[in-house]
Amino acid sequence: MKISKPILAIIAAIVFFSCSTVPLTGRKQFLAVNDSEINQSAAASYQQLLSDPKTKVITGSADAQRVKRVGNQLAAAIQQYLSQNGYGDQYKFNWEFNLIQSNEINAWCMPGGKVAVYSGILPITQDDAGLATVMGHEIGHAIAKHSAERISQEYVAQGLGAAVGVASNTSNSAGLKIVNALYGTGSQLALLHYSRSQETEADRLGLTFMAMAGYNPNAAVGFWQRMSAKAGGNAPPEFLSTHPSDASRIREIQNRIPEAMKYYKGK
């Protein structure tokens, strides 16, 4: 049977780029994109958002300082873990944490460590541990390279014949089109929606990351209960739009707390 060139290219991409492993969870993943170029694209989108006249970045307030403090503590703990466990060379993050004035209940972390927390979520986080729950979860997406996975899936789905070449060169017009569509580079910011399995993995990573940074993982249960109560019977906030159901999420988090507590030493 004759195999077409596009299929051969995809097979080659899998052979060359599928050997990545997610820290802590040990999950093997298929990645067909270059980290540095994805990070650059994400950073461009992040700066575009911050410089948009419609975006109000809060600075100097107690809440803004809290976002930076908790974020930096998480980043320091995560980077230490990665370095000590052989992942240091795989994560060249240029961390940045900003609080954005918005009633939207949301937070996110783009590839490369670009984090935004919307002020609308702060009444639900309530304290540092609640904030660490949210930020740890979002950073978990970045550490697990979920965005790169989604982009890799797009390459395969679109049957790019030059999959291997595109993977290492996003200046390729087809590859650049995908990156721009997913991240909004050069246009309105567009954030990825992750799969439920990726959300569950981010929950697991986030619990451990907050523990590493000195925040009690048990606080995550309270946060997700408050988030569930906030959603009520109405449409969920953007932060919950693609997440697992409240009951299953909380149950899974409770099951993972003992794992995370191994890293918790308190403050």
Side-chain angles (χ1 to χ4, degrees), residues 1-265:
M1 180 178 67
K2 185 177 181 180
I3 301 177
S4 66
K5 289 184 178 179
I7 296 299
L8 286 174
I10 291 171
I11 292 173
I14 293 174
V15 171
F16 284 104
F17 297 100
S18 64
C19 56
S20 181
T21 302
V22 178
L24 284 169
T25 71
R27 181 176 64 86
K28 300 294 183 181
Q29 58 186 171
F30 163 55
L31 299 179
V33 289
N34 183 287
D35 274 350
S36 64
E37 291 171 341
I38 296 302
N39 291 353
Q40 289 174 13
S41 177
S45 288
Y46 189 75
Q47 292 305 318
Q48 179 183 342
L49 173 69
L50 297 184
S51 61
D52 189 325
K54 297 179 181 178
T55 301
K56 182 179 180 181
V57 179
I58 302 174
T59 59
S61 71
D63 285 336
Q65 293 172 357
R66 171 182 289 181
V67 167
K68 291 185 181 298
R69 182 181 69 253
V70 173
N72 285 324
Q73 288 172 343
L74 285 165
I78 292 167
Q79 291 292 166
Q80 181 180 35
Y81 171 83
L82 294 173
S83 297
Q84 291 175 347
N85 289 274
Y87 292 99
D89 292 340
Q90 298 181 32
Y91 293 90
K92 302 297 183 181
F93 280 17
N94 183 14
W95 296 95
E96 192 170 349
F97 305 93
N98 282 289
L99 177 63
I100 295 176
Q101 180 66 51
S102 172
N103 292 328
E104 186 176 346
I105 300 173
N106 204 4
W108 40 265
C109 176
M110 300 186 85
K114 303 302 185 182
V115 178
V117 175
Y118 291 13
S119 59
I121 204 171
L122 296 183
I124 303 175
T125 61
Q126 293 187 353
D127 54 22
D128 285 10
L131 185 59
T133 301
V134 171
M135 298 176 76
H137 168 87
E138 293 304 319
I139 289 171
H141 282 303
I143 296 299
K145 300 183 180 180
H146 288 160
S147 301
E149 279 190 306
R150 294 297 301 275
I151 294 172
S152 299
Q153 291 164 5
E154 287 291 325
Y155 284 139
V156 174
Q158 293 190 23
L160 293 180
V164 176
V166 172
S168 60
N169 180 15
T170 53
S171 63
N172 175 289
S173 59
L176 187 59
K177 182 178 181 181
I178 292 175
V179 174
N180 287 351
L182 292 175
Y183 287 103
T185 305
S187 61
Q188 184 177 359
L189 183 69
L191 298 178
L192 284 173
H193 291 286
Y194 300 106
S195 69
R196 289 192 174 187
S197 62
Q198 288 176 326
E199 291 293 346
T200 298
E201 185 171 54
D203 280 342
R204 181 182 177 183
L205 291 170
L207 278 176
T208 302
F209 292 158
M210 66 185 292
M212 290 176 178
Y215 299 100
N216 192 329
N218 286 285
V221 175
F223 167 78
W224 288 113
Q225 288 173 337
R226 294 192 297 274
M227 181 67 83
S228 176
K230 178 67 176 179
N234 300 320
E238 180 67 18
F239 190 73
L240 292 175
S241 60
T242 58
H243 292 53
S245 68
D246 297 335
S248 63
R249 154 168 266 151
I250 292 172
R251 183 168 55 251
E252 180 65 20
I253 285 174
Q254 290 171 328
N255 290 337
R256 289 294 181 184
I257 285 177
E259 175 185 66
M261 288 297 290
K262 296 176 183 178
Y263 297 88
Y264 178 61
K265 298 180 181 178

